[in-house]
Amino acid sequence: MKLILLGPPGAGKGTQAEMLIDRLKIPQISTGDMLRTAVKEGTPTGLKAKALIENGDLVPDEIIIRIVSERLARDDCKNGFILDGVPRTLAQAEALDEQGVEIDFALSLEVPDEIILNRVVDRRLCSNCPMTYHLVSQPPAKEGMCDVCAQPLVVRKDDDPVTTQHRLAAYHELTEPLKAYYASQVKLILVDGNCTIEETTDEILRLLGMKKT
């Protein structure tokens, strides 16, 4: 199954992708993770993206499409994938279509802005690996430390309230129109994201016509 996860920053796209990959046996393709890795490693793409990410701005389409195209060409994507964080603009969606990237469904996590602002205050990111936590809904076993690699947790620079409001404004202007784009292709599924992680996952599986395990 080939899926896209849509939704505002902080809606839980990455978390839901993690919950679904074992059930669907397909990889999560997260542009956010790929970009942060590029920034950390100081690659040419990472250097271009660093200032934009820290200011909450969208990374240019050509950089995103380049990264995604390279990733989708790998063998583990032959049976499907979950796109998390792309497309974010109509131009990106059209570019994916032009490249023959077939999508079964676009799942849109619906969460009000005020809830998003409350969520990001308590979000923490591992300083070493891609793991993400939430101090209320998904806390680490040991305070301030990653469960997987035992490295310190940090606050993402783009999770402060001012930057989050900037990112939400960008989402409403540039990304939210994708719902109409995929609705016109009869591929849009709206998901109530203002629930617990498990309830949201169960709702996604139900809407996809699958039974939860």
Side-chain angles (χ1 to χ4, degrees), residues 11-192:
K13 298 184 295 297
T15 299
Q16 288 306 316
E18 291 173 7
M19 299 289 284
L20 291 170
I21 54 177
D22 287 338
R23 177 67 175 84
L24 302 178
K25 306 302 180 185
I26 54 177
Q28 171 193 7
I29 310 301
S30 170
T31 54
D33 289 343
M34 286 188 288
L35 283 169
R36 281 189 286 274
T37 297
V39 169
K40 183 177 180 180
E41 295 178 350
T43 66
T45 299
L47 293 175
K48 291 180 181 178
K50 181 177 181 181
L52 294 168
I53 293 173
E54 292 183 350
N55 289 331
D57 294 326
L58 293 176
V59 177
D61 290 348
E62 59 269 20
I63 294 178
I64 296 296
I65 297 302
R66 186 184 312 135
I67 290 175
V68 173
S69 296
E70 292 174 354
R71 182 65 183 86
L72 293 182
R74 297 182 185 178
D75 289 341
D76 64 340
C77 293
K78 288 183 178 179
N79 294 324
F81 48 79
I82 301 172
L83 286 180
D84 167 20
V86 66
R88 285 188 175 179
T89 65
L90 286 173
Q92 289 180 7
E94 292 168 351
L96 291 176
D97 285 347
E98 290 171 0
Q99 291 188 13
V101 177
E102 297 181 358
I103 301 299
D104 294 315
F105 298 106
L107 302 168
S108 178
L109 299 180
E110 303 291 298
V111 184
D113 286 5
E114 59 269 23
I115 300 298
I116 294 294
L117 289 169
N118 288 332
R119 282 184 180 181
V120 298
V121 172
D122 293 320
R123 184 158 62 178
R124 297 293 183 270
L125 182 73
C126 179
S127 59
N128 180 65
C129 76
M131 286 297 296
T132 300
Y133 300 87
H134 190 276
L135 299 184
V136 177
S137 62
Q138 194 178 17
K142 182 179 179 181
E143 183 177 355
M145 304 298 289
C146 179
D147 295 345
V148 175
C149 65
Q151 295 301 305
L153 302 182
V154 297
V155 177
R156 278 172 45 176
K157 292 184 178 180
D158 54 352
D159 271 353
D160 69 87
V162 173
T163 301
T164 298
Q165 289 179 330
H166 186 173
R167 295 174 68 206
L168 282 170
Y171 166 78
H172 290 306
E173 178 184 357
L174 300 173
T175 305
E176 198 163 30
L178 288 174
K179 292 196 291 185
Y181 181 81
Y182 286 111
S184 69
Q185 299 179 3
V186 197
K187 296 179 179 179
L188 180 69
I189 297 178
L190 300 180
V191 181
D192 182 3

